[in-house]
């Protein structure tokens, strides 16, 4: 197997503070994998055999509820860790990860986690910071589901994706990976019909433009007002 170049991870937040020799050691046990669109990276409640770093592409994290409903928990962007069950004290994955587009990931054996965390304190700190941030996001989502109208939840979801992956175009800010109306419904605890109705209404008002697995936010400030429960004045 060819040696992985340290430039793949140098400069990423979770590896900040590491020397070139440290980075080389971290990469010694890593494998580079290509994951095709819609292929599962790991499955909910499956054995946490590996943890991963996304180098290229986007991955959606999906939680299946006891009654069989699927909820999209979040999207992973390049440079983020995923499958870090061992950092949560788990031996199984709490959710599934599915490639939203063709992806490239680095994978490490899960049993290496204690060694890497103990040998490289900055890596452990960065990983636990990631865990903390995601827990805060999950708590915010729970509050949204409990207290907000569906229009607010959908607006908040689009704004989060714009902040995470938005790319400026002539039309506005494009969510820079394929996302369907069903995906948005699964992110916000609502139905495909409701999301379709809202996006159609927002298109008529000039807030967004949407197509097949494509959403562009045209008026982010007006969408933010809707997310905060204020009437649209456009």
């Amino acid at each position: 197997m060819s040696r992985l170049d340290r430039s793949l991870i140098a400069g990423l937040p979770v590896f900040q503070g590491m020397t070139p020799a440290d980075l080389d050691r971290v990469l010694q046990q890593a494998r580079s994998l290509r994951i095709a669109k819609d292929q599962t990276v790991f499955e909910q409640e499956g054995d946490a055999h590996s943890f991963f770093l996304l180098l290229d592409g986007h991955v959606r994290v999906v939680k299946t509820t006891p009654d069989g409903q699927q909820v999209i928990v979040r999207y992973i962007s390049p440079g983020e860790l995923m499958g870090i069950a061992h950092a949560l004290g788990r031996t199984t994955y709490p959710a599934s990860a599915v490639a939203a587009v063709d992806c490239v990931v680095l994978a490490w054996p899960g049993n290496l986690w204690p060694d890497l965390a103990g040998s490289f304190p900055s890596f452990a700190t960065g990983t636990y910071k990631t865990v903390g941030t995601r827990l805060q996001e999950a708590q915010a989502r729970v509050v949204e589901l409990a207290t907000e109208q569906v229009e607010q939840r959908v607006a908040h979801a689009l704004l989060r994706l714009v902040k995470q992956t938005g790319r400026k175009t002539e039309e506005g800010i494009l969510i820079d990976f394929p996302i369907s109306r069903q995906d948005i419904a699964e992110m916000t605890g609502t139905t495909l019909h409701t999301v379709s109705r809202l996006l159609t209404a927002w298109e008529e008002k000039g807030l967004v433009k949407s197509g097949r697995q494509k959403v562009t936010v045209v008026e982010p400030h007006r969408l933010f007002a809707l997310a905060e429960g204020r009437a649209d004045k456009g």
Side-chain angles (χ1 to χ4, degrees):
M1 182 175 66
S2 61
R3 181 176 175 178
L4 296 171
D5 193 287
R6 70 174 73 104
S7 64
L8 291 170
I9 61 174
L12 295 178
V14 74
F15 299 107
Q16 282 184 351
M18 289 191 182
T19 67
D22 290 340
L23 296 174
D24 288 341
R25 181 180 164 190
V26 167
L27 287 173
Q28 281 179 355
Q29 300 295 326
R31 296 177 297 140
S32 177
L33 304 173
R34 293 186 178 275
I35 311 293
K37 179 182 178 182
D38 294 327
Q39 182 178 338
T40 299
V41 184
F42 54 83
E43 293 189 357
Q44 182 174 327
E45 299 304 331
D47 177 53
H49 52 77
S50 304
F51 60 94
F52 306 85
L53 176 76
L54 182 62
L55 293 178
D56 186 53
H58 292 279
V59 170
R60 59 180 176 269
V61 179
V62 182
K63 182 84 170 178
T64 302
T65 64
D67 62 358
Q69 291 187 343
Q70 288 195 329
V71 178
I72 296 178
V73 179
R74 73 186 315 273
Y75 279 86
I76 303 292
S77 293
E80 291 190 73
L81 290 169
M82 58 183 173
I84 46 177
H86 291 276
L88 298 169
R90 293 180 57 109
T91 58
T92 59
Y93 297 114
S96 299
V98 181
V101 295
D102 291 345
C103 296
V104 179
V105 304
L106 294 181
W108 287 265
N111 58 15
L112 276 184
W113 164 255
D115 177 57
L116 290 178
S119 299
F120 305 109
S122 60
F123 173 75
T125 300
T127 303
Y128 288 125
K129 183 178 179 181
T130 296
V131 171
T133 298
R134 291 178 185 173
L135 287 174
Q136 288 180 332
E137 291 176 354
Q139 290 173 345
R141 292 274 303 279
V142 170
V143 171
E144 286 178 11
L145 288 169
T147 64
E148 294 184 352
Q149 299 294 322
V150 64
E151 181 179 63
Q152 293 175 268
R153 301 201 303 269
V154 173
H156 267 136
L158 295 182
L159 290 169
R160 274 195 298 269
L161 293 173
V162 161
K163 182 179 179 180
Q164 185 178 0
T165 72
R167 177 169 59 86
K168 289 186 177 180
T169 67
E170 292 182 356
E171 294 182 328
I173 306 175
L174 173 69
I175 296 172
D176 202 17
F177 61 88
I179 184 166
S180 69
R181 295 184 175 192
Q182 182 63 41
D183 291 336
I184 297 169
E186 292 178 6
M187 289 181 69
T188 54
T190 188
T191 65
L192 172 61
H193 173 76
T194 298
V195 170
S196 296
R197 176 177 56 80
L198 285 172
L199 290 183
T200 298
W202 291 348
E203 285 188 72
E204 291 174 354
K205 294 179 179 180
L207 273 70
V208 302
K209 288 187 177 181
S210 66
R212 181 175 174 81
Q213 296 195 329
K214 178 180 177 181
V215 178
T216 299
V217 175
V218 179
E219 295 282 356
H221 296 294
R222 290 170 61 192
L223 195 62
F224 178 78
L226 288 178
E228 294 300 299
R230 302 195 299 270
D232 177 44
K233 298 180 179 180

